[in-house]
Each structure stands twice: as C-alpha cells, then as structure tokens.
Amino acid sequence: MAEMMTTDVRAIMDRSPFDVAAVADLREVLNRDPSRYRTLREAVANIKEREKKEKDIKTDAHLRLGVGEVLLGRYHSGLEHLKKAGDTGMACYFRGIALENQQRYDQAAASFAQAAKLEYDPKNAELHRAGALRRAGHPDEARKILAGLTKLKDSSAEYHFQHGCLLTAAGELVAASAEFEKTLSLDKDHNGALFELAYINDLYGNDELALEYYRRCTDRPPVPLAVWINLGILYEDEMRFRDAEHCYRHVLAHEPNHPRARLFFKDCQASKGMYYDEEAERGYTVLKQLHEIPVTDFELSVRSRNCLRKMNIRTLGDLTRTTELALLSSKNFGETSLAEIKEMMGAKGLRLGMSLEGNERGAHDHRVEQPQEVPPELQAILNKPIGELNLSVRARKCMSKLNIQTVGDMLKHTGDELLECKNFGVTSLNEVREKLTSLNLKLKND
C-alpha cells in the first residue's frame, strides 16, 4: 500500500499531459496523506536530476518543477521555473500563488486574471484574484468579483473563505467566523480558514481554540510563517518556552533574518531559565529519586524478576512507563506476577503507566528538553494507524496486546520487546520490519 502511494505522486508528476486533471489528482493525493509531500520533494529532485543531463531544460519540465516547488512552499524557486514555463493558464495560476505568498499582490492579481482568461480553473482563479486585490488594498474590486460568483455559494470553500476575509477586513468578525466555519465544512483542511479562525479566537482570548486551529494549520505543508509566529507567542503565554522556541526555529529555517522570529527566539532562550517553582522542584526531586530505585532492591518472585529483565525494566521509573497490558503480554507473566508488581509499586506511592499520563514532570514543563519537532509529512506517517499497514492477524494481535495504535507507537519498541509478546515470532518480526522499511523507518535500536 505504501509503495503504491509513493508511486502515485511520482507518476502524476511525470504524467503527460501535465494538465488541470493531473494537478487536481496531485492535490487530492497530498490532501489525503500529507506524508506524500516527502515523495513530492523526491519527485521534484528526480526531475531536476533528469533535466541536468539535457543542455536546455524544456518548457514542460519548467512547468512541472514550478508547480511542484509552489506546492512545497518554495515560492522563489517555483517562480523562477514558472517564468520559463510560458504563458499557459497553469503557469499563470501558480505564478499568482507564488507572487501572493511573496506579498506581491498586484502582480498576483494580474497573474490570476490571465489564468482565468486562458480558462485554467477560471472560477477558482477569479476567487484568488479577489483575494489578491483585497490584500492589495482594493476591497471594492474584490466584492465585485464575488458578486459575480454567487452561484458558488454553498459549493465552493474558496468562495466562503474570500467572503469571510472581506468581512474580517470590515471588522465583522462574528459573521466572518461563520463564513470560515462554512469553508471548513466544505474543505476541512483549508489552511487559510484555519489561520483566520485561529487569529479571531486569539483576539477574543480563546487561547485553547486558537491553539487547536494553529496546530491544525501545521499538519499540512506548506505552513505559512505567520502560523509558526502566532503559535509560538501563544506557547510563550503558557510559559511553554521550548515549544515556542521550536516554532521560531521553523521560521528561521526558511527566513534566517526574519526580525520578529529572531527577537522572539532570543526571548525564549532567555526565559527558559527564569521561571522556578521551588515546591514543584522539591516534589520532582523526590519523585526522581523514587524512579531511580532498582527493581532488584525488592523481593520479587523468580518469574517476575526474569520477565522484567527480559523486558529491560531495571527501575521503578521504567515500570511507571509500562502498562499492565504490556506486562501481561510478556511470556510467562501472569496475573499473580502483576499483582506482585502492583503491590510493590503501591508501597512507594507509584503505579504502572503513571508517567504516560503526564503526572511526572516533563510532558508540559519547559525546563525539560522537549523532543525535536518533526516535519509534518513525517508526523503524518508516525500518526498512521497500525491497521493501514495490512499486517497479518498474528502481528496485529501482538500490536493490540502491547497497546500499539500507530506507527509512531511501534517505533518505541525494540525487536526483542516484540518477540517477548506471546505468539509473536521471528516471521512476524520480519514482517513488521519489512513494512517499516517501506516507510523508511526502523524499530528502536535496529
């Protein structure tokens, strides 16, 4: 299944003719599974490598490269290719998108107008032209365009988005929110509507909703830099300085000299060491000492000790990061051993799985180093349900016993840990490794 998805993106980029239908299919593939943006990057790189062997890059190749680069958010590079792709409707349309993202709104409006004239997705091109004109300071012209496209009401997400933006510009935020909600009902991943709703909720102090919408914006590339900036500011307000710092890093990776991102990034670094909660620190120190106690310090049965050793559980802290289900899935570990372990931990005020619930410091504390953020396309792969890997019945049952729900959950386990699961053998392990290899991933310690 995964290989077929990868082939789809490359096949579409190489399709002849590379027309409206091809681009529509490409967008559909990317919207359905953001992890395929990684394959799109590879496809663009392959076309570039292929064209290097030619003395002159053909116009058609410039068009494919331009569209691919724009969809990846590389607007400068995309614009360079599209300028050499001729004055086709598609080239004009994607030039408009690139120019709009570079805040060259008047030029973007002209490009969208030309695309509509050349009959490339004319209604959508006109809607984007309205957006460019509004941003260029011509809201009346934008309203005229929308007035001529009222038939798109209730069927076009972009129509409701542009109408909502006009209402926002007029200060009618409640009515604008309704339009953006309508946009999402027609296209749940419309990044523009997600951003506007996040911004409106941010203005009204609805931080939780604003965070939710901003986070959804980051799920699908290309992510506007303003999303990372605003999300970082909200994280700072919650004193989550590590998370905020990661947001600003995203901005600086694209624009190293971005003034606000550089300033906010420095503020985050300075703020990380400023906040200190003495009582929380004292409580954490006691908890940390408990977690470091070796399980060999307790009088456990031989069977329990052997099972814990095989599962590489050395301390009470390891047990707080292990579930009952994971222990019971281990060979020769039964209810008697489980009761013994639970009694031992209860005597210390601990319980199985408590660290997974965020009760110990780390999940939300800015003082502990947070995991580095991964690209949205990779995160989409890690979030894939195990069911989509088409594993055998035996392998699936093992995943269920270990409470492995996603690909990311699977990567937290070693091959030996999986082999400890009842009825899971080398054949099943090889099957799992093969599936992960097709996704360019490996089990822990492989």
Side-chain angles (χ1 to χ4, degrees):
M1 176 65 73
E3 184 59 30
M4 183 181 72
M5 292 179 179
T6 300
T7 304
D8 280 348
V9 174
R10 291 177 178 144
I12 293 171
M13 286 299 292
D14 288 331
R15 186 187 296 178
S16 291
F18 190 67
D19 53 11
V20 181
V23 172
D25 289 346
L26 183 60
R27 284 179 178 270
E28 171 64 22
V29 167
L30 296 173
N31 285 337
R32 207 171 346 137
D33 185 354
S35 68
R36 301 189 205 180
Y37 275 93
R38 181 167 61 177
T39 311
L40 177 59
R41 279 202 294 269
E42 294 171 0
V44 169
N46 289 340
I47 295 174
K48 288 180 179 178
E49 191 65 30
R50 198 165 60 217
E51 294 302 323
K52 279 182 182 178
K53 300 175 183 178
E54 303 290 334
K55 291 183 179 180
D56 297 314
I57 300 181
K58 297 172 185 172
T59 301
D60 180 65
H62 277 301
L63 180 61
R64 296 171 192 268
L65 289 171
V67 171
E69 295 281 37
V70 169
L71 291 177
L72 289 168
R74 302 168 180 168
Y75 302 116
H76 179 77
S77 175
L79 199 54
E80 290 300 311
H81 284 293
L82 291 168
K83 287 177 180 176
K84 302 172 185 176
D87 289 325
T88 65
M90 184 185 295
C92 291
Y93 181 85
F94 280 92
R95 276 205 296 267
I97 293 177
L99 289 165
E100 189 172 22
N101 279 279
Q102 290 183 340
Q103 300 182 8
R104 297 157 65 179
Y105 302 124
D106 285 315
Q107 295 176 56
S111 288
F112 286 129
Q114 184 66 11
K117 184 177 179 181
L118 294 171
E119 293 297 315
Y120 181 85
D121 199 358
K123 292 178 181 178
N124 210 30
E126 280 293 280
L127 288 171
H128 278 280
R129 182 165 78 95
L133 287 170
R134 170 180 50 79
R135 291 180 172 182
H138 310 296
D140 291 338
E141 293 183 46
R143 289 190 187 91
K144 287 180 182 178
I145 293 173
L146 290 183
L149 296 171
T150 52
K151 290 183 179 180
L152 298 178
K153 189 176 181 180
D154 299 326
S155 64
S156 168
E158 191 63 28
Y159 174 87
H160 288 281
F161 171 67
Q162 295 298 345
H163 188 212
C165 288
L166 284 171
L167 290 170
T168 300
E172 300 177 36
L173 299 185
V174 175
S177 296
E179 287 297 296
F180 295 136
E181 292 286 359
K182 182 67 175 179
T183 301
L184 294 180
S185 71
L186 295 168
D187 178 3
K188 63 183 179 64
D189 300 311
H190 194 292
N191 254 14
L194 288 170
F195 176 80
E196 294 295 339
L197 280 171
Y199 184 68
I200 290 173
N201 278 283
D202 197 353
L203 287 177
Y204 279 102
N206 302 325
D207 289 355
E208 288 187 13
L209 271 176
L211 279 169
E212 179 188 345
Y213 284 125
Y214 280 134
R215 287 192 194 110
R216 285 174 63 185
C217 282
T218 65
D219 287 341
R220 294 179 181 275
V223 180
L225 297 186
V227 170
W228 292 118
I229 291 286
N230 293 359
L231 184 56
I233 292 171
L234 282 174
Y235 279 142
E236 281 193 79
D237 290 342
E238 293 191 346
M239 303 186 78
R240 296 169 60 180
F241 299 113
R242 297 286 184 190
D243 290 330
E245 186 178 313
H246 290 321
C247 290
Y248 302 141
R249 284 186 189 278
H250 277 286
V251 180
L252 295 173
H254 289 84
E255 284 190 34
N257 295 317
H258 193 288
R260 292 181 70 205
R262 291 182 67 183
L263 177 62
F264 294 160
F265 181 73
K266 288 180 180 178
D267 286 345
C268 275
Q269 290 185 313
S271 299
K272 283 187 296 186
M274 290 176 61
Y275 178 76
Y276 182 78
D277 187 332
E278 185 176 354
E279 184 177 349
E281 183 66 27
R282 186 164 50 247
Y284 173 71
T285 301
V286 173
L287 186 62
K288 185 173 183 290
Q289 291 171 349
L290 281 175
H291 282 196
E292 290 174 352
I293 297 176
V295 293
T296 52
D297 284 4
F298 300 89
E299 293 186 6
L300 297 173
S301 65
V302 175
R303 175 169 293 181
S304 295
R305 285 203 306 272
N306 287 340
C307 287
L308 294 179
R309 179 175 51 79
K310 287 180 181 179
M311 296 179 71
N312 199 30
I313 294 174
R314 308 296 183 189
T315 65
L316 290 182
D318 292 337
L319 281 169
T320 66
R321 293 183 287 274
T322 304
T323 64
E324 291 186 19
L325 196 60
L327 289 175
L328 288 172
S329 67
S330 179
K331 295 171 183 174
N332 302 320
F333 194 96
E335 293 289 345
T336 302
S337 296
L338 177 63
E340 183 181 17
I341 296 296
K342 290 171 72 174
E343 182 180 355
M344 174 190 74
M345 297 186 71
K348 294 294 183 181
L350 303 174
R351 66 179 186 280
L352 290 169
M354 67 181 291
S355 293
L356 303 177
E357 301 166 6
N359 290 333
E360 66 170 333
R361 189 180 74 174
H364 302 290
D365 192 344
H366 61 272
R367 292 168 294 178
V368 177
E369 191 69 36
Q370 301 292 322
Q372 292 292 318
E373 288 197 20
V374 297
E377 58 268 27
L378 177 56
Q379 188 62 55
I381 294 178
L382 298 179
N383 291 339
K384 271 181 178 296
I386 289 298
E388 293 187 14
L389 296 183
N390 294 325
L391 294 171
S392 63
V393 174
R394 178 168 292 182
R396 286 204 306 273
K397 285 184 177 179
C398 175
M399 299 299 111
S400 178
K401 288 178 181 177
L402 294 176
N403 197 30
I404 296 174
Q405 305 292 333
T406 66
V407 172
D409 293 339
M410 186 187 291
L411 299 185
K412 298 174 184 176
H413 294 266
T414 65
D416 290 340
E417 289 171 348
L418 294 180
L419 287 172
E420 277 297 306
C421 187
K422 296 172 185 176
N423 300 319
F424 189 92
V426 175
T427 302
S428 298
L429 178 61
N430 289 336
E431 178 190 4
V432 167
R433 282 174 168 158
E434 183 180 345
K435 296 291 186 181
L436 290 177
T437 299
S438 69
L439 298 172
N440 294 320
L441 298 172
K442 293 181 179 180
L443 288 169
K444 182 181 178 182
N445 295 339
D446 270 9

